[in-house]
Structures are given as C-alpha cells and as structure tokens.
Amino acid sequence: MYQLNKPYGLVFLLIAVVGIIATVFSNIKLISLIAWITLGLTIIFYIAALFRIHTSFSFIPFHSLAGYLSDKIRFKWGWYVLCIGSVLAIVGVLSNRKNNIKLDV
C-alpha cells in the first residue's frame, strides 16, 4: 500500500498510531471512529490496488494478452492481515464487555 501512493500509506499509518494512542488512553469513542475509518481505508485501498492491476497492462494492444498478464498478479498476505485487523477492531469496539483490568500505578 505504501508503494501504491506514499501519502495514502502515511495516512493509514497515522490512523493506526492514533488508534493505538486512543487504546492506551481508553477513549472508546475515538477507538470506534478509528476502527471504522481503518475498515473504510482498507476497502478503498484494496479497490485502488485492483484498479491499478487491471490498468497496468493497458499499453498492450492485445486485450487477451493484457487480461492474461493481469490475472497472473497475486496479492501478498498483508492484505489479509489488514482486513482481519480492521474487522477485529470493529468487533472489539462493538462488544459490550467492560474492561476488568485494574492497573495499580
């Protein structure tokens, strides 16, 4: 994603850092907002990556060859981690369990 477009990759990393900070300070509303933003950004970046793959070989005049080459491009495991992480963040926000951990500081 970072190589797709560096400013968008930096925005995604910034959102992740804000989410971690919100988790440390137990700000539930901000955590919920960040979880939904993360899921939305993941979906948008995935669609952008698919669009980029299908237009990568548009310079080839033979459409069947361009389609064949586009089909040979595969995603790496990182996309699965991003999607699962976003879904887990939303599931964690939507669960109504109270935090029973008490820190003696």
Side-chain angles (χ1 to χ4, degrees), residues 7-72:
Y8 294 136
L10 289 174
V11 166
F12 201 85
L13 289 174
L14 179 66
I15 294 293
V17 168
V18 170
I20 291 170
I21 291 171
T23 303
V24 168
F25 290 117
S26 299
N27 189 343
I28 301 299
K29 290 182 182 179
L30 186 58
I31 294 170
S32 176
L33 177 68
I34 294 298
W36 286 105
I37 288 173
T38 303
L39 181 65
L41 284 177
T42 303
I43 291 169
I44 289 170
F45 287 144
Y46 184 75
I47 292 170
L50 286 176
F51 182 72
R52 185 166 184 178
I53 286 171
H54 291 294
T55 60
S56 293
F57 299 105
S58 62
F59 64 91
I60 298 176
F62 304 108
H63 296 292
S64 60
L65 180 61
Y68 174 76
L69 292 175
S70 295
D71 290 339
K72 293 300 173 189

Side-chain angles (χ1 to χ4, degrees), residues 81-95:
V81 172
L82 280 174
C83 290
I84 290 170
S86 299
V87 170
L88 284 177
I90 291 174
V91 167
V93 167
L94 294 178
S95 68

Side-chain angles (χ1 to χ4, degrees), residues 23 26 28 96-103:
T23 303
S26 299
I28 301 299
N96 291 327
R97 290 185 288 163
K98 297 288 183 181
N99 189 3
N100 293 329
I101 299 173
K102 294 182 181 180
L103 299 175

